[in-house]
C-alpha cells in the first residue's frame, strides 16, 4: 500500500498562520494548543490525543514541506495512510496524522483525538494550554 495523505474524517478549526503551537506530552497523552485562523473565528483550540504510540515535533517550516518524509499540507491536518508507523501497530488500530504550523510540523500516531477546549479570545496558545492544565478542568481530561 502506498503512503498517502488525506483530510481526516473529523474536522477541527482551521490553523492560524501567525502564532506557534504549544504542546504537552506525558508519554501517553498529547495536548495540542493552536491558534485558530480568523476565517474560523479566531481564538485558540486545544486538542487531546489519547493512547499516543509515537509523537514527534520536527522544526520543518512550510517552505520545507516538500522534503517531508510523509504527506503534509501547509497549516493543515493530514491523515497518513499506508505507513509503516501504523502497520507496525495495526492490532491497536492507530491513526497517523501530520500537522503543519509556521515553523514546526507535528507527527502523532494515536488512537483517539478530540477538541476539548476552544476560546474566542486572542490569547497565546501556550497561555491557553497552561491555564487548562492548571485548572480543575484538566482532571476530567486525564485517562
Amino acid at each position: 500500500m502506498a503512503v498517502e495523505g488525506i483530510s481526516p474524517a473529523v474536522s477541527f478549526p482551521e490553523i492560524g498562520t501567525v502564532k506557534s503551537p504549544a504542546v504537552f506530552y506525558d508519554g501517553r497523552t498529547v495536548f495540542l494548543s493552536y491558534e485558530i485562523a480568523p476565517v474560523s473565528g479566531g481564538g485558540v483550540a486545544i486538542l487531546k490525543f489519547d493512547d499516543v504510540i509515537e509523537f514527534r515535533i520536527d522544526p520543518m517550516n512550510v517552505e520545507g514541506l516538500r522534503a517531508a518524509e510523509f504527506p503534509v499540507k501547509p497549516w493543515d491536518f493530514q491523515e497518513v495512510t499506508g505507513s509503516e508507523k501504523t502497520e507496525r501497530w495495526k492490532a491497536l488500530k492507530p491513526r497517523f496524522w501530520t500537522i503543519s504550523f509556521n515553523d514546526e510540523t507535528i507527527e502523532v500516531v494515536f488512537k483517539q483525538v478530540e477538541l476539548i477546549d476552544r476560546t474566542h479570545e486572542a490569547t497565546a496558545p501556550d497561555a491557553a494550554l497552561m491555564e487548562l492544565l492548571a485548572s480543575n478542568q484538566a482532571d476530567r481530561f486525564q485517562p
Side-chain angles (χ1 to χ4, degrees):
M1 176 185 264
V3 175
E4 295 180 351
I6 59 172
S7 292
V10 63
S11 65
F12 296 114
E14 289 183 57
I15 297 171
T17 61
V18 177
K19 297 179 182 173
S20 292
V23 176
F24 176 81
Y25 176 50
D26 68 2
R28 180 181 171 139
T29 303
V30 169
F31 291 92
L32 170 64
S33 178
Y34 68 91
E35 170 195 20
I36 299 171
V39 298
S40 288
V44 172
I46 301 176
L47 305 182
K48 179 186 177 203
F49 293 86
D50 276 322
D51 298 321
V52 174
I53 297 167
E54 186 175 327
F55 171 71
R56 178 179 162 187
I57 299 174
D58 190 347
M60 182 182 309
N61 64 24
V62 293
E63 287 84 24
L65 294 182
R66 286 190 189 109
E69 181 179 358
F70 298 103
V72 182
K73 279 189 177 177
W75 302 289
D76 203 359
F77 300 91
Q78 283 285 283
E79 184 150 6
V80 179
T81 62
S83 166
E84 76 281 352
K85 288 184 182 249
T86 54
E87 193 59 29
R88 186 172 65 215
W89 301 98
K90 67 182 174 184
L92 300 174
K93 299 180 181 166
R95 299 167 75 184
F96 173 27
W97 283 11
T98 59
I99 310 163
S100 170
F101 300 93
N102 275 343
D103 295 319
E104 300 90 17
T105 298
I106 293 175
E107 296 178 2
V108 60
V109 179
F110 63 97
K111 286 204 51 169
Q112 297 178 59
V113 61
E114 66 180 310
L115 176 68
I116 60 168
D117 197 22
R118 178 181 178 153
T119 67
H120 291 284
E121 303 89 42
T123 187
D126 60 341
L129 183 57
M130 286 189 291
E131 183 177 323
L132 177 86
L133 293 173
S135 74
N136 290 334
Q137 277 188 319
D139 293 338
R140 72 174 217 231
F141 300 119
Q142 296 303 317

